[in-house]
Amino acid sequence: METIIKKIDDESIAEAKEILLNGGLIGMPTETVYGLAAVGTDSEAVKKIYEVKGRPSDNPLIAHVHKNYDINKLVYVSHDYVYKLMESYMPGPLTLVFDSKGVICKEAVCGGETLAVRMPSHKGCQKLLAAVDMPIVAPSANLSKHTSPVTAMHVYNDLNGKIPLILDGGKCAGGIESTVLDVTGKVPRILRAGLITREMVERIVGACEIAEHKEGDRVRSPGVKYRHYRPRCETALFAENELDKANRLYDEQIAAGKRPYIMCADYLDEHFKGKNVLKLGNTGEEIASNLYDKLLEGETEADIIIAIAMPREDGVYLGIMNRLRKSCG
Ligand code: AMP
Ligand code: MG
């Protein structure tokens, strides 16, 4: 199968709609990362998503809908705070987990009773979702375990020959996957950290828990237990107070004839003068937006990416550190 990249516009959206309604898959942009999309009621199409990605069959998919879609068609909304959250943060990088009404096929939810729903804010994606006017399930458009794609070319590099069309909507502004928030209980609970932070949820609801994923726990969001986001080169991760160790490893790698790259926030750059550095930016938002792009740039150049951890884990940094540990730890 030939894979074609097309700029997202009315014509390519019409083509994508045709493919989706006929049981096919496409690559679509969102404001977080690129998604591998299928119609959520089509079991055969959804099975193809798992095949194409090599995704474990117990890791459910998020249903994406346009901003005027009535989510009551798909799920039971049990708590009024949900509407306040939706008003504040949707469309946007927030996924809500509800009790499902069973409209989405069982393959997409891995036989579970809950459904994760999101309204992407990416303009082109909204247009596509409105044109199809059906829930579109989509995991990130990468091969399972690999770094998530934030450009159409990243999708092409992983899925070339496996899907007919990738809609190019530019580089994803958000850069890390959506916050996954369980809203089945009285207090919302973060299952996966992202750009909508605990603090932002607390501001609207008054309280917000963070699910801990300890050994032996029943895992509520299956995706968090897998090795994830790995670039195709060696990696190492050091804390901010271990810059000397990072420098030593770098020098050892050079001495061994290897090509190491440091990956760090811009303000640490001065500690690595004359070295290869993948610079992530300065603010949490910049760093989130550049993280996967730099990992994917790094894997084409480096034998090893030596990453430096963030100085904090509140706000957006929680989601960044979660990805950094899985990709480089
Ligand atoms: P991906 O789209 O590849 O970023 O993965 C989607 C994430 O959402 C994974 O971590 C899934 O485990 C999680 N997820 C999807 N559906 C549900 C659900 N019904 N309950 C809990 N987590 C979910
Ligand atoms: Mg993924």
Side-chain angles (χ1 to χ4, degrees), residues 33 53 55 59 139-142 146 148 177 192 228-229:
V33 303
K53 274 184 67 89
R55 186 176 176 95
N59 193 6
S140 49
N142 52 285
H146 191 214
S148 306
E177 294 84 351
R192 176 177 72 185
H228 239 335
Y229 319 123

Side-chain angles (χ1 to χ4, degrees), residues 55-205:
R55 186 176 176 95
S57 60
D58 65 347
N59 193 6
L61 307 179
I62 295 170
H64 297 70
V65 295
H66 62 76
K67 64 180 192 295
N68 298 318
Y69 192 90
D70 178 9
I71 63 163
N72 291 289
K73 289 200 257 183
L74 302 179
V75 295
Y76 298 99
V77 180
S78 314
H79 301 282
D80 284 341
Y81 70 75
V82 170
Y83 294 107
K84 289 198 219 164
L85 279 174
M86 289 183 66
E87 197 163 305
S88 303
Y89 302 127
M90 286 164 104
L94 177 64
T95 295
L96 302 178
V97 175
F98 299 93
D99 290 315
S100 176
K101 289 190 173 169
V103 176
I104 298 295
C105 66
K106 65 179 192 316
E107 287 78 7
V109 293
C110 308
E113 306 278 293
T114 57
L115 177 68
V117 182
R118 166 164 133 75
M119 288 176 183
S121 64
H122 187 285
K123 285 212 174 71
C125 184
Q126 271 291 327
K127 271 193 172 175
L128 171 70
L129 294 169
V132 179
D133 197 24
M134 300 244 265
I136 296 292
V137 293
S140 49
N142 52 285
L143 296 176
S144 196
K145 301 188 182 65
H146 191 214
T147 311
S148 306
V150 293
T151 67
M153 207 54 215
H154 294 156
V155 180
Y156 185 86
N157 290 339
D158 263 21
L159 302 184
N160 179 23
K162 297 184 168 187
I163 56 174
L165 177 64
I166 301 165
L167 296 177
D168 186 351
K171 187 185 165 200
C172 303
I176 58 174
E177 294 84 351
S178 60
T179 303
V180 178
L181 189 70
D182 179 350
V183 294
T184 59
K186 268 194 194 142
V187 176
R189 212 155 67 104
I190 292 180
L191 304 180
R192 176 177 72 185
L195 291 172
I196 303 296
T197 63
R198 173 189 212 162
E199 294 78 359
M200 289 165 76
V201 174
E202 278 175 343
R203 212 177 299 145
I204 306 300
V205 182

Side-chain angles (χ1 to χ4, degrees), residues 248-321:
R248 218 175 307 136
L249 176 59
Y250 187 102
D251 295 339
E252 284 166 16
Q253 291 287 319
I254 292 284
K258 297 279 172 75
R259 267 187 310 180
Y261 273 70
I262 299 282
M263 189 175 76
C264 64
D266 289 10
Y267 54 83
L268 292 175
D269 188 27
E270 57 182 315
H271 298 276
F272 304 108
K273 286 220 171 76
K275 297 191 155 127
N276 301 320
V277 180
L278 299 158
K279 285 165 61 173
L280 292 172
N282 273 315
T283 65
E285 282 71 19
E286 273 173 23
I287 291 168
S289 143
N290 290 322
L291 181 61
Y292 293 152
D293 196 34
K294 291 297 167 186
L295 285 169
L296 290 167
E297 179 188 329
E299 74 173 16
T300 66
E301 303 287 329
D303 293 309
I304 180 168
I305 296 175
I306 303 170
I308 311 298
M310 299 295 123
R312 32 197 283 227
E313 290 205 32
D314 60 338
V316 178
Y317 291 96
L318 182 65
I320 295 171
M321 277 310 297

